[in-house]
Amino acid sequence: TTVASEYSWSSSQIGSEFEAMSVDPLCSGLGMLTNCHSGLINAENAETKYDGGGLHRSTHAGAGAITYYHDYKTRASKDIPAGSELFISYGEDWFLSRTNDLGDVPLEEDFIFADHVADALKSYKDSYGHKTTSDANDQVMELVRNILDLEATSRVLQILPDTFDDVEKVIEN
């Protein structure tokens, strides 16, 4: 695998699946600057424009030298503070196909589930945390992590805080 191949897209993602038998479009520019973090998506890819440049696919020899698809854009999907990193979705298959290299990277559904668990832990902490000892709270956190481990949710375990005291920090961010 070359570095450039990591920046190529599925032809169907940008509408160029009919260009040739096998197409791996390379999206230069801003498309190469974005990364993916399923919990931090702040940008999205826009549809490409279609323009044949006045060349007919079957009568102009130069038609195969250009693509009809151009002007591939990435746009903000929410406010992005200056200096922040841009994150788009690569799609879950991108991570699932690289498990041997990257391990179990948390996916969007894992972040959603972890948010629910963190909310429940914060609710418990707000209601009972001040009435229990620090050791008891740590045991609650360990119990939650053990239950999740039994459910084979290793991606969610990577996202949750290690200690009960860190639950509020996760909620705030």
Side-chain angles (χ1 to χ4, degrees), residues 81-99:
S84 296
E85 190 166 354
L86 301 177
F87 294 103
I88 61 167
S89 174
Y90 289 174
E92 292 187 355
D93 288 342
W94 193 91
F95 292 103
L96 294 173
S97 68
R98 292 165 172 80
T99 302

Side-chain angles (χ1 to χ4, degrees), residues 79-153:
D79 289 341
I80 303 171
S84 296
E85 190 166 354
L86 301 177
F87 294 103
I88 61 167
S89 174
Y90 289 174
E92 292 187 355
D93 288 342
W94 193 91
F95 292 103
L96 294 173
S97 68
R98 292 165 172 80
T99 302
N100 289 341
D101 297 327
L102 302 175
D104 287 331
V105 174
L107 306 173
E108 183 176 2
E109 66 185 18
D110 301 313
F111 283 96
I112 293 168
F113 186 73
D115 284 345
H116 290 301
V117 172
D119 286 340
L121 286 168
K122 183 175 182 325
S123 178
Y124 168 83
K125 185 175 183 178
D126 291 346
S127 298
Y128 306 105
H130 63 284
K131 298 177 186 177
T132 62
T133 66
S134 179
D135 286 342
N137 290 338
D138 288 343
Q139 287 178 350
V140 167
M141 191 67 193
E142 185 177 347
L143 174 65
V144 168
R145 294 183 72 80
N146 286 337
I147 290 170
L148 291 173
D149 195 31
L150 289 173
E151 293 294 317
T153 52

Side-chain angles (χ1 to χ4, degrees), residues 14-77:
I14 65 168
S16 65
E17 66 268 32
F18 304 112
E19 289 287 301
M21 296 279 286
S22 177
V23 178
D24 286 321
L26 181 64
C27 299
S28 59
L30 189 58
M32 295 178 94
L33 296 176
T34 57
N35 282 314
C36 181
H37 185 300
S38 298
L40 301 174
I41 303 299
N42 59 11
E44 61 191 9
N45 294 320
E47 284 192 33
T48 57
K49 291 182 181 176
Y50 180 87
D51 180 2
L55 304 177
H56 190 277
R57 295 299 276 178
S58 61
T59 59
H60 290 93
I66 65 163
T67 181
Y68 285 6
Y69 301 91
H70 64 92
D71 203 20
Y72 189 69
K73 293 181 179 176
T74 302
R75 65 174 169 242
S77 58

